[in-house]
Amino acid sequence: MEEPSYPLEYYQFFVKFNEGDYYTCHDLLEEVWMTDKSNLFLKGLLQMSVAIYHYEYGNIKGARMMMNAAHHYLQPYRPHYWGVNVNEVNDFIETCLSIIPHDLERIPFEDVNNLPQFPSFPLYLEE
């Protein structure tokens, strides 16, 4: 059986995600998604990355909105899609949503270390 072939940017996304470079993750997936806007799986991963980026910079409201959007977009792709265990991604997103403070919209960047931390989540292709 032949291994599936994905766009180079998709492979690079996993490297950058696991390095914690969520801004670059957005750029990489946006390039791929712009060529196939019907692939809402990519949009879900893109928005999850943006949510983490927002959270790390104190934009709590933006993180909550993007994480909710990611959760919504990824549901139809469970349990597995494009080499990703989407159920595991879904569990991570739900954990993050339970951690994000609901009574804050934004905090100064110098205070972000006081926020509850998201769990570590290595993301990888399973194929």
Side-chain angles (χ1 to χ4, degrees):
M1 190 168 150
E2 192 174 315
E3 291 280 324
S5 179
Y6 304 110
L8 178 60
E9 293 87 355
Y10 187 62
Y11 293 107
Q12 292 170 333
F13 160 78
F14 289 94
V15 173
K16 293 303 180 182
F17 187 91
N18 292 321
E19 289 176 352
D21 186 353
Y22 304 110
Y23 187 86
T24 301
C25 285
H26 166 270
D27 290 347
L28 289 167
L29 284 186
E30 190 172 56
E31 278 189 48
V32 180
W33 180 68
M34 292 300 270
T35 66
D36 181 11
K37 289 191 176 183
S38 67
N39 189 338
L40 297 180
F41 168 75
L42 292 175
K43 189 171 183 180
L45 291 181
L46 192 154
Q47 294 198 331
M48 177 183 70
S49 302
V50 170
I52 299 168
Y53 177 80
H54 280 313
Y55 193 72
E56 289 182 343
Y57 284 87
N59 180 358
I60 311 304
K61 182 179 179 181
R64 190 180 316 108
M65 288 173 50
M66 289 291 107
M67 204 60 89
N68 275 314
H71 187 263
H72 170 77
Y73 286 124
L74 291 173
Q75 294 313 301
Y77 297 95
R78 292 173 69 184
H80 197 267
Y81 189 77
W82 264 38
V84 172
N85 183 330
V86 183
N87 282 340
E88 287 180 359
V89 175
N90 185 70
D91 291 347
F92 170 73
I93 289 172
E94 289 180 354
T95 298
C96 291
L97 284 169
S98 73
I99 290 171
I100 297 173
H102 294 283
D103 55 344
L104 292 174
E105 287 196 10
R106 178 177 295 279
I107 63 168
F109 176 71
E110 52 272 7
D111 294 335
V112 295
N113 289 333
N114 298 329
L115 288 171
Q117 297 299 299
F118 290 163
S120 173
F121 182 64
L123 189 59
Y124 55 90
L125 285 168
E126 293 187 335
E127 297 170 330

